[in-house]
Amino acid sequence: MTDPSPLDAYRGDILDLRGDPAVSGDAAVRFVPDGWLLVRGQRIAGVLDADAEPDPRWRRHDWRGHLLLPGFIDTHVHAPQLDVIASYGTELLDWLQRHTFPAEARWADPAHARRSARRFVRELLAHGTTCAMVFPTVHRAGVDALFEVACELDMALISGRVLMDRHCPDALRDDTDAAERDSVELIERWHGRGRCGYALTPRFAATSSAAQLQSCGALLRAFEGVHLQTHLAENRAEVDWVRALFPDARSYLDVYARAGLLGPRSVFAHAIWLDADDRAALAASGSAVAFSPSSNLFLGSGLFDWAQTAAAGVPVAIASDVGAGTSLCQLRSAADAYKVLALQGQRLDAWRALHAITRGAARTLRRDAELGHFETGAWADFCVWAWSADALQRHRVELARSLHERVFAWLTLADARNLAAVHVAGRRVPLGADGFAGSDALGAP
Ligand code: GUN
Ligand code: ZN
């Protein structure tokens, strides 16, 4: 029987990574100028050179002069914090109390949570991000709402109810046992449904009791394939506080290690204030770090040492951490990552930056077998980007003498204005102010 899936061929400058450029250098880069990206239904069916035309069965989409890239993956971002992005004047602990917790408390209203979750997913896509690991709030309705939107769109989304049973406003505080019951119920409802994955989400060591962290560890062992996301050693006052709360632990990371939270599906955001033993423990457990440069700069948290982290063998992805980060656009995150490394005498080339928001990010989520690249059989999550959105971008990109120079300049200067089209699981998602025009359910105000 013939496969009835639609056949679509997208023509443009195709760019993806076939491996890790930190390991294989330029050999990891696939650039096919004026090539064809073939999509059969929801999956990538192949990449053709310019001189190899698809046969007439393939419906053609002409994006000549545009870049076709895998959809970006954001491994650390907070859905409710669109309400507090760009809030003035504070470091982490004060920022949480003053701006973030009040915004998160509003998700107690399920209608608000639903509207906000839809707005958030729409904004992710409108910035070229087609897969994300997301912090919602402690409220179940918000978790349901995020996963519902993801299922409607066939989008890969990893999330889970935020857990915090101390040191937070009453309106956000868990009962430890109820939180565990909720997590189990939500794992059973959502993990593995569509392209959704569940992440146990203790906010950070300061807002979870040792008992709550232990309960997370037990759930992580009990449920195959479930992820863990949390914050780690972001800010010096936070690190001091955690040391005072857990005097027996060797380090901040050790608090999590003792609870059994390290492992190949664990993503730790920030990881700035670590020592060599911490990095070795992360590497040995297969845990990954979500480097969040925009957030680290905005909150004045510190400079993440990528060189030492990578040398220890810890996988690193670049994340937005909105709303402490100030843009959902992963190109902006990558450009900020370059600057954070430059302040330490380190360099981030365009290929490693791109890897850390595509294939490498998928790796930290254990989805790289079929996400973050254009290998045949991968999910057809991809975006079409204009090489330039204004005269200055055009001028700079045209002057480039090498592919790396061109892509680096583009990465550094481009933003959501350059985004021309977004495809999730092979389907084009309508963008624009009223977003998702094809699906009124998603047209949140
Ligand atoms: N640490 C604990 N919660 C948060 C949060 O919401 N954002 C950031 N950047 N760090 C945190
Ligand atoms: Zn965060």
Side-chain angles (χ1 to χ4, degrees), residues 76-78 81 92 95-96 135 203 230-231 234 269-270 292 295 320-325:
H76 184 73
V77 58
H78 296 254
Q81 295 181 11
L92 174 66
W95 176 83
L96 286 173
F135 266 63
R203 183 177 208 113
T230 190
H231 297 89
E234 172 179 4
H270 309 295
S292 307
S295 161
S320 73
D321 192 26
V322 159

Side-chain angles (χ1 to χ4, degrees), residues 163 176 179-180 200 210-220 259 261:
L163 306 170
T176 316
E180 181 174 313
L200 292 157
Q212 182 162 71
L213 297 175
Q214 290 291 340
S215 135
C216 281
L219 293 178
L220 198 57
L261 301 187

Side-chain angles (χ1 to χ4, degrees), residues 10-16 29-35 37 62-72 331 350-351 354 374 382-388 393 397 403-404 406-412 414-415 418-423:
Y10 298 86
R11 188 168 195 186
D13 298 333
I14 298 166
L15 176 61
D16 74 335
V29 181
R30 168 166 56 182
F31 182 63
V32 184
D34 210 7
L37 181 67
D62 190 352
W63 287 108
R64 270 177 287 184
H66 288 73
L67 250 180
L68 306 185
L69 286 177
F72 295 149
L331 296 171
W351 310 137
L354 207 51
F374 292 143
F382 66 98
C383 294
V384 181
W385 296 89
W387 277 106
S388 56
Q393 287 185 13
V397 163
L403 178 63
H404 183 267
R406 188 172 180 206
V407 174
F408 181 79
W410 179 78
L411 256 163
T412 307
D415 56 33
N418 294 63
L419 187 59
V422 177
H423 297 77

